[in-house]
Amino acid sequence: NAGVTQTPKFRVLKTGQSMTLLCAQDMNHEYMYWYRQDPGMGLRLIHYSVGEGTTAKGEVPDGYNVSRLKKQNFLLGLESAAPSQTSVYFCASRESGGSYNEQFFGPGTRLTVL
Amino acid sequence: AQTVTQSQPEMSVQEAETVTLSCTYDTSENNYYLFWYKQPPSRQMILVIRQEAYKQQNATENRFSVNFQKAAKSFSLKISDSQLGDTAMYFCAFMRRIQGAQKLVFGQGTRLTINP
């Protein structure tokens, strides 16, 4: 049981390049989330998904796209990377149902855009 | 919109001392959850403790306890008998108590260093 994994762990891009971050979970969770963490700030929600085939915008969605084609995977895409997207990206997942279920976080991906 | 504020960017104490981290939040909601997360140098986000707003009793988890003041919208974390392994960033977070997406809103964090 690996929990939540993220690929890659580190990446350096040039301005204008594109890339996709992969989040995978093996806990059969319905909900998945993408956050970014900038220096001196807490995590901010980019996009989230409440189930396979569904996605929704979070607090800071501009410049990102997401897809949830399979229940266990949640992809975060940058079509044209900008230096402002330099950040650490975290994925999280949780069970559905009830008024609260703990979010389990992945180890993060450090992205640098030059 | 909810906001979470941590006014202490950094704190430092000696091993075995007690330390209290502060957090205030702003919301018009009545039913919600509050959390403290720990982020060690490994970057992994670890849930430390959770408080449900409708419960008057303060949550405790071993050496970790909270002081929840609902009227003042204050939620502080007390770490007793601090250990070197407690060195980390600590984030306060808020979540509305509803079914559905359950989105977390985080504070800016407090960097805690435990000195030997």
Side-chain angles (χ1 to χ4, degrees), chain A residues 65-80:
Chain A
N65 56 77
V66 289
S67 64
R68 184 95 180 270
L69 298 180
K70 293 183 179 180
K71 185 177 183 179
Q72 64 268 32
N73 294 337
F74 194 27
L75 305 178
L76 178 71
L78 288 72
E79 289 188 351
S80 180

Side-chain angles (χ1 to χ4, degrees), chain B:
Chain B
Q2 290 80 24
T3 59
V4 178
T5 302
Q6 295 178 247
S7 59
Q8 305 154 312
E10 296 187 18
M11 295 190 71
S12 178
V13 298
Q14 296 299 119
E15 191 177 7
E17 289 184 345
T18 294
V19 60
T20 299
L21 309 183
S22 301
C23 172
T24 58
Y25 59 95
D26 187 23
T27 183
S28 58
E29 301 285 335
N30 196 43
N31 292 320
Y32 51 88
Y33 295 96
L34 294 164
F35 308 86
W36 280 98
Y37 281 87
K38 172 184 178 180
Q39 187 181 43
S42 66
R43 286 202 315 239
Q44 185 68 48
M45 293 292 287
I46 301 166
L47 179 62
V48 174
I49 200 164
R50 171 173 63 100
Q51 175 75 43
E52 299 176 57
Y54 66 90
K55 290 188 177 179
Q56 292 187 341
Q57 186 173 5
N58 289 324
T60 62
E61 287 288 343
N62 300 313
R63 298 182 294 108
F64 299 87
S65 61
V66 299
N67 183 3
F68 173 49
Q69 302 290 328
K70 190 173 183 179
K73 296 181 181 176
S74 170
F75 182 61
S76 60
L77 175 69
K78 185 172 82 172
I79 305 175
S80 303
D81 186 28
S82 58
Q83 301 175 358
L84 297 179
D86 296 333
T87 292
M89 284 290 291
Y90 286 82
F91 292 96
C92 178
F94 170 99
M95 185 178 75
R96 293 171 62 195
R97 184 174 181 268
I98 56 170
Q99 292 193 5
Q102 296 183 3
K103 294 175 277 187
L104 287 164
V105 177
F106 288 87
Q108 309 94 313
T110 296
R111 184 177 301 279
L112 175 65
T113 302
I114 310 298
N115 298 305

Side-chain angles (χ1 to χ4, degrees), chain A residues 45-73:
Chain A
L45 183 63
I46 305 171
H47 285 280
Y48 63 98
S49 168
V50 301
E52 181 179 322
T54 71
T55 63
K57 294 180 179 179
E59 182 185 359
V60 287
D62 294 342
Y64 304 95
N65 56 77
V66 289
S67 64
R68 184 95 180 270
L69 298 180
K70 293 183 179 180
K71 185 177 183 179
Q72 64 268 32
N73 294 337

